[in-house]
Amino acid sequence: MIDTFIDALETAYNAEIEKWHTSGKRIVGYTCSFLPLEILHAADILPVRLRGIQPESLVIGDTYYGPFVCTFPKTILQLVGEGKYAFLDGAIVSTGCDAMRRLDECWRKADEDIAGILPPFFHYFDVPHKVAPHSLKWFTDEIKTVIGALERHFDVTLSNADLTRAIKAQNRIRHLIDTLNDFRASDICPLTGTDFYTAMIAGTVLPQEVYADGLTELIRQINENKDSAHTDKKRILISGSVCDDADLIRLIESCGCVVVAENLCFGIKDGDDRVAEDSEPISALARRYLAAATCPRMFGGYQDRLKLLKTKIEKFRVDGVIVQNVRFCELHSAENGLFERDLAALNVPVLRVEREYGPITETGRMKMRVDAFLEKMSRQRRVS
Amino acid sequence: MRPELKEYNLDWMLASILSIAANLGNGTEKEWRNTIRYYPYFSGIVEPILNHGSVGASFLKLLSRSLNDIINARENGKKVVLTTFCMNTAIFHAMDITPVMLEVMTAISSLLFKRGATEYMDYCVELGFPDTGCSSQRGTLGAYLAGMGVDIDLVAVNMPGICDNNANAYAFAAEYLKKPFYALNYPAELVGPEARAYHRDDFKGLIAFLEEQTGNRLDVGRLEEILDEYKRQDALLSHIEDMMRLVPNPVPGIFNLFFYVGRWLYGGFPIYTELLQEMVAAIEKNIASGRAGIYNGEEKLRAFFFYIDNFALNARMWQWFDTHGISILGSILSRYFPDNSPYLPDMEAGYTIDTTHLDAMIDTVAEMNARNPMTRTIRGPYDAPYMWLEDTLSLAGMYKADCCIYSATPGCRNTWSNVKLITKDIEKHGYPVHIVHADGFDARVESWQKTAEQLEEFFTVRNLFKTNGRLK
C-alpha cells in the first residue's frame, strides 16, 4: 500500500494537507459527494472531505445536535469543535440528508460558543433530490452560486478552461480508479478490500496530482506482484451508509472473506462514470453529479440502484452482500430492507446490519454477525 | 401482526367507528353522554370533541365523510393516491383522485385506539422499514403494506428537501406496493423568482404525472371552484387567527386540531367552510361572554407549540392544557400563510389565490403547497428568512405566548438536528421553552402520564404561573 494513502486514511491533518497548508494554498472542507470537486481544483483549492475520525468524545456534537440523530455529522462537529479542522479556509455543507444539512446551523451556532471554529468561507450548497430538467437547472444555478462565492471570497477567477482542465484531471483519476477496481473482478483478486478502500478514502483528501501518482504507483505494484491473491475466499460486496475509514472493511475481511466491491459514498461511486469534457463545463458537472447519483436521498430511484447493485454482483462475482446502515440513517436502512428482499429473491445471500458510526464501536457484535453470515453461506453452498 | 388485527381493514374500521361517532352528534347531549358510557376508549375521544356541541359534531361528520370517501373510492370509480398531509389536495380533487394521507389516519388511530397504530408500525419494521422512521407514517403505512386498506393506485408526495423520513416512507411504499411515484422537491429558499419558477415547473410535472397515471384530465372549472372555496376558508381562518390574539384567548385548544385536520381533508370543500363558520360562531360567543376558549373559561397561561401536537389516546394533550387553564395558541400545523392572514410578515411570504386563468391557478396551488406547515417552515436553515425561528418568534410574539413547547416524534431527523439551537434562540427572546421527548403517535416511547409529569415540572420549575401573574 502507498504510504501517502495510509497517512491520508489515518490522519485528518495528513502530511500532504500539511504541505499544501504551509505553502499558503487554500483548503476547503465539504460534506457530501454531490459537490463537484472540479470547481475547487480549478481554483487551486484543495477539497477535503470532512470525516469524523478519531474524536476524543462526542460532547460537542451532542451539545448542538439532538439525541435522535446519526453520529456521523455529530462526530464531524466534534472534530471541528476540538480544532482538528482548524486548517480549513472554508467549508461547504451540502443537503445530503437532513442530519448532515443541519451541520450548517450546528457549526455556526457552535462557533458562538467556541470562537474561531467557523472557517472564513462557509457555504450552504443546496442539492435537488431528483433528476428532471428543472432540477438540473436548479443544480446548475447552485454550482454557479458556489463558484461565484468562491471567486469573491478567495479573489480568484474560474474560467471554463480552468474547469475543463480540472475535469480532465479528475476524469483521469476516475480512469485510474476503474483500472484498480477492475483487478477485483478477476478470480485472483490481487488486493484486499481494505487496501482498495484506503485508496478510495485517500482520494477524498489528497491533491489531484499526488493522488493520481499514488494510484498509478499502486496499479504498478499490483501488476508486478500478484502473489497476494485471494482466490479461495468468499467474495463480499458492501453497501449502505457512509463509511469514512477502512476499519469496517478490515473487520469484515478479518472474518476470512475478501471485499471485492462497494456501493458506499466514499470513493468508488466517483469512478463509475466521467464528466463530459467536450461540453460547457458547468452543465456537464451538473449532469454528472446529479444524474449519476446513487444515493437513496434521490427518492424514487430505487430500481436504478438495485440494477447497479446487480451489475456489481455479476461483474465482481459476489458471493454475498452486506447491507449496513448507521443508526438513524433511515435513507439507507429503508433501502437496505428492499435490497434484502429483492436480493434474497435472486438467491443472493444478504446480511443486513445496523451499526453505530465510528471506527471502534461495536467491533465484537459486528464480527460475530459477519462470522455467522459467512458460516451460513458455507453451509448453504455445501447443501446446494 | 396479530391475526385478529387482519380481520378488518384499518380504513374500514376507522370509517365504521367514526360513522357511529358522527351519528352520536345527532342526538341530544343527554343521549350521547348516556351512550358513550358503554364505550370506554371511544368515549375518551368523543367526549372532548362533542363537548364543543355542534362544532364537535360537525368535525366528527367531516372525519367520517373522509374515511367513507376513502373506503368507497374505488366503487365510486375514483383513483386513489397515497399522499402526505403536507400536500395540498386541490389538484387531486380537480382530477377526481381520492387522497389517502398516512399521517392523518395514524393520528386518528392514535387518538382513538388504546394501542394506537403501534401494531401497524411494528408490521412496517417486519417488512424491512426502519424502526427509527417517523411514526406518523409508519402507523398507517403498516396497514397499507399489509393490504389492509383501499387499493392504492399511485404515490405522490412533496417532502424531498423538507423531510427525508417522510419522503422515504412514501418512496418505500411505492416500491413495496409497486406503484408509480412522483415527488415534488423543494429548494431551501421559499421566495424569489427562481424558487417560484421551480415550484411551478415541478408542480406542472406532478399534473403531467397524474394525467399519465390515471388517465384523468384536470377539470379547470372544478379547480376554480375549489380555489374559490379556499378563499372563503382562508378569510374565516384569518378571522379566527385574529381572534386568537385576544386575552383571554377565546379559541378552544382542540379547535386547532379541527382547523388543520379539516383543511387537510377538505380544504376547498363547503363542508370545511361550514365547520369554520361554526367555529367562528362559537369563538365569537366566547368573546361576547368574555370567557377563554378553555373548558372552565379562565385562562392562566398561553402556550405556543412551535412544531406539532401530541396525539396520545383520547386527545389527552388538549385535555391536559384545558384542565390546567393553559390556552394553546396552535402550532405550525395550523398556519398556511394566505395573503390575508394576520401573521403574514410580508407579501412574499404568503400566497394569493388567483383564479383568472389556468396558469394562475396552477401557480396558486404550487405556492399554497410550498407554504404548508413543514414545506414552508423547515425547508432551509432554521434561522434563515421565512423559516422556523422567524415564524416561531413572530407567532409567539403576536399571540402573546408565555412559553413555547416543542413536541414531535423521535423520527423527525430534521428538527431533532436543530431543536437545541432554536430553543436557545427562543429562550434568548424571553420565552421559556420545553422540549417534549415523547413520540406524538406512539405512547410506547413515553407514556402520556410521563409527558404530562414533565410538562407539570416545566411549568413549575420555570415559575411560569407565578411570573405570569394571572394565576394564584
Side-chain angles (χ1 to χ4, degrees):
Chain A
M1 179 42 68
I2 307 297
D3 289 344
T4 317
F5 288 1
I6 295 172
D7 185 36
L9 173 78
E10 294 176 347
T11 320
Y13 191 55
N14 65 61
E16 289 299 326
I17 291 179
E18 188 178 359
K19 204 185 295 178
W20 187 280
H21 188 218
T22 50
S23 72
K25 294 206 278 186
R26 278 78 172 254
I27 304 171
V28 168
Y30 67 102
T31 58
C32 182
S33 56
F34 280 88
L35 179 75
L37 304 182
E38 288 86 343
I39 59 179
L40 292 166
H41 288 306
D44 204 23
I45 296 169
L46 176 63
V48 170
R49 182 147 179 193
L50 299 177
R51 296 187 287 151
I53 57 169
Q54 298 159 349
E56 288 166 15
S57 77
L58 261 187
V59 67
I60 299 170
D62 281 335
T63 298
Y64 298 93
Y65 273 105
F68 310 113
V69 180
C70 158
T71 33
F72 180 52
K74 281 185 180 181
T75 315
I76 291 176
L77 185 64
Q78 178 69 30
L79 294 188
V80 166
E82 287 174 8
K84 303 266 174 67
Y85 282 119
F87 59 85
L88 294 179
D89 298 291
I92 300 173
V93 176
S94 305
T95 54
C97 64
D98 281 342
M100 188 54 90
R101 75 176 159 119
R102 294 304 182 196
L103 184 62
D104 163 67
E105 295 108 301
C106 288
W107 195 334
R108 285 190 286 110
K109 291 293 162 181
D111 181 65
E112 292 176 5
D113 301 323
I114 313 168
I117 61 168
L118 193 72
F121 177 80
F122 196 73
H123 189 86
Y124 186 77
F125 184 64
D126 206 6
V127 182
H129 287 71
K130 65 186 198 182
V131 184
H134 52 285
S135 59
L136 270 168
K137 181 187 177 305
W138 163 11
F139 193 50
T140 305
D141 289 345
E142 283 295 322
I143 295 173
K144 286 177 183 169
T145 302
V146 72
I147 288 174
L150 288 165
E151 286 181 328
R152 282 190 300 280
H153 182 86
F154 292 108
D155 194 22
V156 292
T157 306
L158 283 184
S159 65
N160 279 358
D162 294 330
L163 286 168
T164 302
R165 176 178 44 77
I167 287 169
K168 285 182 176 170
Q170 198 63 28
N171 276 346
R172 181 175 165 245
I173 286 172
R174 293 184 177 110
H175 172 73
L176 291 168
I177 289 174
D178 274 354
T179 306
L180 188 65
N181 199 26
D182 283 346
F183 284 124
R184 310 160 85 198
S186 70
D187 273 340
I188 55 169
C189 191
L191 80 165
T192 64
T194 307
D195 286 348
F196 181 82
Y197 205 63
T198 298
M200 292 303 94
I201 290 171
T204 65
V205 293
L206 290 178
Q208 272 182 321
E209 282 181 21
V210 174
Y211 186 50
D213 289 347
L215 284 174
T216 307
E217 173 58 18
L218 183 58
I219 291 165
R220 187 192 64 75
Q221 286 177 11
I222 292 168
N223 272 323
E224 284 183 2
N225 180 14
K226 290 179 179 171
D227 294 341
S228 56
H230 306 276
T231 51
D232 56 344
K233 293 179 176 172
K234 298 276 184 320
R235 301 166 66 89
I236 299 295
L237 181 152
I238 178 167
S239 179
S241 289
V242 66
C243 179
D244 66 359
D245 67 61
D247 282 0
L248 179 64
I249 314 291
R250 187 176 291 117
L251 182 144
I252 291 168
E253 293 191 322
S254 75
C255 299
C257 59
V258 59
V259 173
V260 293
E262 304 86 13
N263 199 27
L264 303 167
C265 76
F266 269 81
I268 187 57
K269 283 184 179 177
D270 202 40
D272 283 350
D273 61 9
R274 309 286 182 267
V275 179
E277 296 176 7
D278 54 356
S279 61
E280 193 280 312
I282 296 177
S283 303
L285 287 168
R287 277 196 304 277
R288 191 271 170 194
Y289 277 85
L290 193 65
T294 56
C295 177
R297 77 180 287 284
M298 305 299 281
F299 300 105
Y302 171 76
Q303 286 301 332
D304 291 337
R305 295 189 285 271
L306 177 63
K307 190 176 163 193
L308 175 70
L309 212 54
K310 286 183 194 167
T311 304
K312 287 190 178 189
I313 288 167
E314 196 172 328
K315 177 178 176 184
F316 294 96
R317 279 168 285 167
V318 167
D319 295 312
V321 174
I322 297 176
V323 291
Q324 52 80 34
N325 72 276
V326 175
R327 183 81 174 155
F328 299 123
C329 175
E330 287 82 14
L331 294 178
H332 279 289
S333 179
E335 183 132 303
N336 287 349
L338 294 168
F339 281 149
E340 190 180 25
R341 177 195 68 171
D342 292 339
L343 293 178
L346 297 169
N347 290 322
V348 176
V350 180
L351 171 66
R352 183 182 178 193
V353 284
E354 184 167 78
R355 66 186 177 94
E356 201 51 89
Y357 165 80
I360 54 168
T361 316
E362 299 189 297
T363 304
R365 185 181 72 88
M366 283 292 292
K367 190 164 171 21
M368 190 169 72
R369 296 283 316 270
V370 177
D371 273 336
F373 177 56
L374 295 175
E375 190 180 324
K376 194 173 152 196
M377 279 167 57
S378 301
R379 288 182 181 178
Q380 278 172 342
R381 184 172 287 179
R382 277 202 298 274
V383 170
S384 63
Chain B
M1 191 185 288
R2 287 182 296 132
E4 53 268 40
L5 208 61
K6 292 186 174 176
E7 287 291 314
Y8 302 103
N9 283 352
L10 174 64
D11 49 16
W12 188 89
M13 281 200 293
L14 292 175
S16 302
I17 295 167
L18 288 169
S19 70
I20 296 167
N23 285 333
L24 281 176
N26 293 333
T28 63
E29 183 172 343
K30 189 179 173 187
E31 282 173 331
W32 69 255
R33 284 200 189 279
N34 274 325
T35 308
I36 61 171
R37 282 190 300 168
Y38 301 100
Y39 306 98
Y41 300 116
F42 182 48
S43 63
I45 180 66
V46 171
E47 189 175 8
I49 293 176
L50 284 183
N51 277 342
H52 292 282
S54 66
V55 177
S58 296
F59 178 67
L60 289 173
K61 282 183 180 143
L62 181 144
L63 285 184
S64 172
R65 176 173 155 183
S66 159
L67 267 300
N68 272 295
D69 281 355
I70 289 170
I71 62 172
N72 295 318
R74 303 201 78 83
E75 279 136 34
N76 292 334
K78 291 177 188 281
K79 299 282 185 183
V80 180
V81 61
L82 194 66
T83 191
T84 175
F85 74 102
C86 258
M87 180 75 109
N88 184 292
T89 56
I91 209 72
F92 298 137
H93 292 301
M95 296 180 75
D96 212 22
I97 302 167
T98 300
V100 171
M101 296 173 186
L102 295 178
E103 300 85 359
V104 179
M105 287 171 67
T106 306
I108 297 171
S109 304
S110 303
L111 290 165
L112 201 59
F113 299 141
K114 186 183 178 188
R115 292 177 179 168
T118 54
E119 288 176 285
Y120 302 107
M121 289 178 198
D122 294 348
Y123 186 66
C124 277
V125 180
E126 286 178 39
L127 297 180
F129 193 72
D131 59 351
T132 53
C134 181
S135 52
S136 68
Q137 288 90 40
R138 265 192 299 136
T140 307
L141 179 61
Y144 278 87
L145 295 182
M148 295 162 57
V150 66
D151 286 344
I152 300 296
D153 293 297
L154 59 159
V155 182
V157 294
N158 63 344
M159 281 290 117
I162 312 296
C163 172
D164 283 345
N165 272 356
N166 187 308
N168 199 36
Y170 287 91
F172 184 91
E175 198 52 54
Y176 195 88
L177 298 170
K178 301 201 183 308
K179 301 296 177 189
F181 176 78
Y182 188 90
L184 292 167
N185 171 203
Y186 288 101
E189 288 182 354
L190 176 74
V191 300
E194 291 87 3
R196 195 167 294 119
Y198 181 84
H199 292 160
R200 180 188 305 130
D201 290 342
D202 214 15
F203 203 76
K204 284 183 174 173
L206 171 67
I207 296 170
F209 165 81
L210 295 174
E211 286 183 341
E212 184 189 339
Q213 296 300 332
T214 64
N216 297 353
R217 305 290 297 173
L218 173 62
D219 182 337
V220 181
R222 181 78 189 104
L223 182 60
E224 188 177 352
E225 272 174 28
I226 291 169
L227 291 177
D228 281 339
E229 200 64 38
Y230 263 115
K231 270 188 201 169
R232 284 185 275 279
Q233 293 166 357
D234 283 349
L236 289 163
L237 271 170
S238 295
H239 181 40
I240 294 171
E241 290 285 345
D242 229 2
M243 293 190 283
M244 202 182 284
R245 299 165 75 173
L246 295 171
V247 179
N249 169 21
V251 183
I254 202 167
F255 275 22
N256 289 286
L257 176 76
F258 301 173
F259 299 154
Y260 59 72
V261 172
R263 182 172 169 113
W264 297 338
L265 297 177
Y266 286 112
F269 281 73
I271 185 174
Y272 179 51
T273 315
E274 288 155 20
L275 175 68
L276 288 171
Q277 285 165 339
E278 286 185 80
M279 280 195 269
V280 166
I283 296 164
E284 286 176 341
K285 201 172 156 191
N286 284 340
I287 295 173
S289 56
R291 74 190 303 278
I294 45 183
Y295 197 59
N296 68 7
E298 188 195 351
E299 178 181 273
K300 295 169 183 170
L301 271 175
R302 299 161 73 91
F304 173 60
F305 277 70
F306 64 103
Y307 197 48
I308 66 164
D309 301 319
N310 184 302
F311 304 93
L313 176 67
N314 294 169
R316 288 175 180 179
M317 187 199 86
W318 289 277
Q319 292 188 73
W320 188 90
F321 279 86
D322 239 19
T323 53
H324 284 73
I326 304 168
S327 281
I328 293 178
L329 303 168
S331 63
I332 71 162
L333 300 178
S334 44
R335 269 86 199 201
Y336 297 87
F337 294 82
D339 56 8
N340 55 3
S341 59
Y343 48 75
L344 198 70
D346 58 54
M347 290 309 286
E348 268 227 286
Y351 65 82
T352 299
I353 294 177
D354 182 352
T355 54
T356 49
H357 53 87
L358 178 59
D359 278 347
M361 286 191 272
I362 289 172
D363 279 358
T364 295
V365 186
E367 291 304 306
M368 288 172 87
N369 230 344
R371 283 158 183 79
N372 270 336
M374 284 163 61
T375 43
R376 171 193 161 85
T377 316
I378 57 171
R379 67 199 295 172
Y382 83 95
D383 53 353
Y386 305 108
M387 297 296 142
W388 201 15
L389 178 63
E390 194 176 286
D391 282 0
T392 301
L393 290 176
S394 62
L395 290 166
M398 198 181 116
Y399 294 104
K400 304 176 189 71
D402 295 302
C403 62
C404 295
I405 296 168
Y406 170 83
S407 168
T409 78
C412 188
R413 217 58 63 230
N414 189 333
T415 58
W416 277 111
S417 293
N418 59 8
V419 70
K420 289 184 179 179
L421 314 180
I422 192 172
T423 294
K424 195 174 167 188
D425 286 349
I426 298 170
E427 289 264 3
K428 275 184 194 164
H429 283 81
Y431 299 101
V433 180
H434 178 60
I435 297 177
V436 175
H437 283 76
D439 188 319
F441 302 84
D442 186 351
R444 296 173 303 181
V445 173
E446 179 180 284
S447 68
W448 171 254
Q449 285 80 1
K450 179 75 178 170
T451 307
E453 199 175 274
Q454 292 187 350
L455 282 166
E456 189 97 46
E457 186 181 88
F458 165 68
F459 285 107
T460 306
V461 169
R462 300 302 294 266
N463 218 10
L464 278 169
F465 289 132
K466 283 181 186 170
T467 53
N468 178 271
R470 280 186 280 129
L471 179 75
K472 292 178 184 173

